């Protein structure tokens, strides 16, 4: 079961405590997180269920490649970090 | 004459009220957040605010009394597989709410009805005070939409009519959504011109 950690920056808008979730890829892991915390979903994913443009997800120290289908594999010992991207000047 | 002004800013939302000694700020909410639009619903007394969180998207909130509640945000349907839509500048058209562009209440005979126009150019209707939204599908699937359609604007006066539910206009077109369906009622060049012709559309309805 992967550990999922959300940036502190999002906590002022919606509560996203660190949690553990099952899933073989990022999509499955996040779906399980949002099943328990549905209010958080729209903050992370857009209307097409893709990662929002200025949100970044890392699996341990590696940023995911598939921001649309979220198909990057997640091991049971991984930590998934959901963060805001550093955009703009 | 109104005794209250709702001020939406990039750094918060302010309610300004007229008192015996003049105008003063009576409440400040969402400090530090970008509030792109607000609307007072005289029917219920509720106030609606649209927030643009940038990284975390667009969110809607409703104030009843002094309490704010996050409500649903308009959301676009699943984009058909393989659909490649581009705007007049060749940029992909998002099927996702980028900004709340317009808000309007339904008529007195439509309690709970709220209209919302967005970027991209979709028009949404809520029948339950913003708890959920339904896209105006006939407008979104109109064949002229990808051709320079920027945002849906709403004519508040038209939403008051029992026979004409709303008027939505894009960068170049004016539509009237009557009970019998969606009708294009005018065409102007440029959004400012389209805005200018809304009062005429009201008279037509």
């Amino acid at each position: 079961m992967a550990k999922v950690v959300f940036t502190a920056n999002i906590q002022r808008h919606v509560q996203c405590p660190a949690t553990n979730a099952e899933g073989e890829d990022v999509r499955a892991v996040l779906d399980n997180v949002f099943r328990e915390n549905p209010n958080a979903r729209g903050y992370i994913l857009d209307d097409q269920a893709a990662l929002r443009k200025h949100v970044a997800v890392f699996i341990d120290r590696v940023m995911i490649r598939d921001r649309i289908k979220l198909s990057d594999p997640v091991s049971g010992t991984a930590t998934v970090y959901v963060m805001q991207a550093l955009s703009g000047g | 004459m109104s005794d209250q002004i709702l001020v939406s800013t990039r750094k918060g939302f302010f309610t300004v009220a007229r008192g015996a000694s003049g105008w003063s700020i009576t409440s400040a909410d969402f400090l530090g957040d970008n509030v792109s639009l607000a609307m007072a619903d005289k029917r219920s007394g509720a106030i609606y605010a649209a927030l643009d969180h940038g990284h975390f998207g667009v969110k809607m909130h409703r104030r009843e009394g002094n309490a704010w509640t996050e409500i649903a945000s308009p959301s676009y349907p699943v984009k058909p597989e393989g659909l490649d839509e581009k705007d007049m500048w060749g940029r992909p058209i998002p099927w996702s709410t980028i900004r709340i562009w317009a808000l309007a209440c339904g008529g007195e005979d439509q309690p709970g009805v709220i209209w919302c126009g967005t970027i991209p150019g979709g028009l949404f209707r809520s029948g339950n005070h913003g708890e959920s939204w339904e896209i105006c599908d006939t407008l979104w699937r109109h064949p002229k939409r990808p051709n320079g359609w920027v945002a849906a604007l709403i004519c508040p006066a038209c939403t008051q009519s029992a026979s004409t539910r709303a008027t939505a206009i894009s960068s170049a077109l004016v539509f009237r959504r009557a009970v019998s369906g969606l009708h294009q009622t005018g065409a102007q060049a440029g959004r400012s011109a389209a805005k200018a012709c809304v009062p005429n559309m009201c008279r037509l309805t």
Side-chain angles (χ1 to χ4, degrees), chain A residues 7 9-10 12-14 39 42-44 46-48 52-55 69 83-87, chain B residues 30-33 53-59 61 70 74-79 81 95-97:
Chain A
T7 172
N9 189 271
I10 199 175
R12 60 189 289 265
H13 304 304
V14 61
N39 291 341
Y43 285 81
I44 306 302
D46 66 17
D47 296 0
Q48 302 303 311
R52 287 197 175 278
K53 183 178 180 182
H54 299 297
V55 171
K69 295 185 177 179
M83 312 177 70
Q84 76 276 22
L86 294 177
S87 308
Chain B
F30 307 113
L31 291 177
D33 290 327
H53 288 309
H55 291 79
F56 304 120
V58 169
K59 302 290 177 285
H61 294 257
E70 183 174 340
S75 181
Y76 280 81
V78 174
K79 185 178 180 179
E81 192 82 28
W95 280 48
S96 194
T97 302

Side-chain angles (χ1 to χ4, degrees), chain A residues 56-64 79-84:
Chain A
V57 171
F58 291 81
I59 301 171
D60 295 323
R61 295 186 176 191
V62 180
M63 189 162 67
I64 66 169
T79 300
V80 176
Y81 298 94
V82 181
M83 312 177 70
Q84 76 276 22

Side-chain angles (χ1 to χ4, degrees), chain A residues 15-60:
Chain A
Q15 290 296 308
C16 292
T19 186
N20 296 312
E22 299 274 8
E24 295 186 348
D25 56 21
V26 175
R27 171 73 70 199
V29 169
L30 290 183
D31 279 350
N32 283 325
V33 172
F34 297 144
R35 192 167 294 119
E36 299 297 319
N37 186 6
N39 291 341
R41 189 177 193 278
Y43 285 81
I44 306 302
L45 305 180
D46 66 17
D47 296 0
Q48 302 303 311
L51 201 60
R52 287 197 175 278
K53 183 178 180 182
H54 299 297
V55 171
V57 171
F58 291 81
I59 301 171
D60 295 323

